[in-house]
Amino acid sequence: MESKSNSFLAKEPIPRLMGKYAVPCIISLLVGALYNIVDQIFIANASYLGSYGNAANTVVFPLTVIALAIAVMVGDGCCAFVSLSLGKNKPRDAGRSMGNAILLTVIFSLVLCAVYLIWDSRIIAMFGGTVNEETFRHSGEYFFWITLGIPFYMFGQAMNPVIRADGSPKFAMASTLAGAAINIVLDPIFIFVFRWGTLTILFLRCYNQGT
């Protein structure tokens, strides 16, 4: 894993490295928050979704946060170990850590999918999705499709910090920016033209995380 791309980590001053890593990371986090803001705006302005669509998005959102938390746990843990291994000039250990992170992400995501699909109605009710029939219907539809996309979502979130650890913070930031831009452009097309509804959010998030 050690190559010219991360050789600067051993040479440049710590303050400069902090700037190179902190700024792209902060921008990535800020842009990541735009996903839900943009989605809520477009859903609210779709006549066939409106407040019920936003309600469904709100009900399901905590369940995506759970997936995000697990992915970040694996990704940040791997990120720290990769950084330490590269610092000790042990690229084989870094590569093994990445393999373990990928395996853990796959296992956790499949287990989470199984839990969500088996107890979907109870989980939706726990987060207030049964307040009325329309909200429950939209929540159930959105929840089903978002569950199928969880493995892709978790994989992208887990690997992003690992990419930064390997000496490519700008690439990690660029991938997040590209995903947000694609989301903003395609959201109105899929929601208003193709009328995919909340399925649009799943498709775009999985596609963007995969890229």
Side-chain angles (χ1 to χ4, degrees):
M1 286 184 61
E2 187 174 11
S3 62
K4 293 182 179 179
S5 65
N6 55 42
S7 61
F8 68 93
L9 295 173
K11 301 175 182 178
E12 292 195 12
I14 296 298
R16 185 177 298 177
L17 288 174
M18 286 293 292
K20 282 187 175 182
Y21 274 79
V23 173
C25 184
I26 292 171
I27 293 175
S28 296
L29 291 172
L30 290 173
V31 171
L34 287 176
Y35 276 99
N36 285 299
I37 296 174
V38 171
D39 291 338
Q40 295 278 26
I41 291 174
F42 285 121
I43 288 174
N45 286 277
S47 59
Y48 65 100
L49 293 173
S51 60
Y52 293 121
N54 268 343
N57 195 14
T58 302
V59 167
V60 178
F61 179 69
L63 304 169
T64 64
V65 173
I66 294 173
L68 174 63
I70 296 174
V72 170
M73 175 187 69
V74 175
D76 283 0
C78 178
C79 169
F81 190 84
V82 166
S83 298
L84 291 171
S85 298
L86 293 177
K88 295 176 181 178
N89 196 25
K90 295 181 178 180
R92 182 173 296 181
D93 289 347
R96 188 178 297 114
S97 175
M98 288 187 62
N100 291 337
I102 292 173
L103 179 61
L104 279 175
T105 302
V106 171
I107 292 174
F108 281 137
S109 64
L110 293 179
V111 170
L112 200 60
C113 281
V115 171
Y116 283 178
L117 290 175
I118 293 172
W119 290 288
D120 56 344
S121 297
R122 294 183 182 180
I123 294 173
I124 291 173
M126 186 188 305
F127 287 94
T130 55
V131 63
N132 56 57
E133 184 178 345
E134 280 298 307
T135 298
F136 182 76
R137 182 174 66 83
H138 283 292
S139 297
E141 178 185 358
Y142 181 37
F143 185 50
F144 173 76
W145 292 110
I146 207 73
T147 298
L148 297 185
I150 277 179
F152 304 96
Y153 176 70
M154 289 183 64
F155 182 82
Q157 293 294 338
M159 291 300 105
N160 198 271
V162 179
I163 293 173
R164 287 198 299 269
D166 194 34
S168 305
K170 290 184 179 179
F171 179 81
M173 179 189 69
S175 64
T176 303
L177 291 173
I182 293 172
N183 186 65
I184 293 173
V185 172
L186 295 183
D187 249 355
I189 296 175
F190 290 158
I191 290 177
F192 298 118
V193 178
F194 296 128
R195 298 178 70 87
W196 282 7
T198 50
L199 180 58
T200 298
I201 303 173
L202 165 71
F203 173 80
L204 291 179
R205 288 185 183 177
C206 292
Y207 173 81
N208 293 336
Q209 293 301 328
T211 55

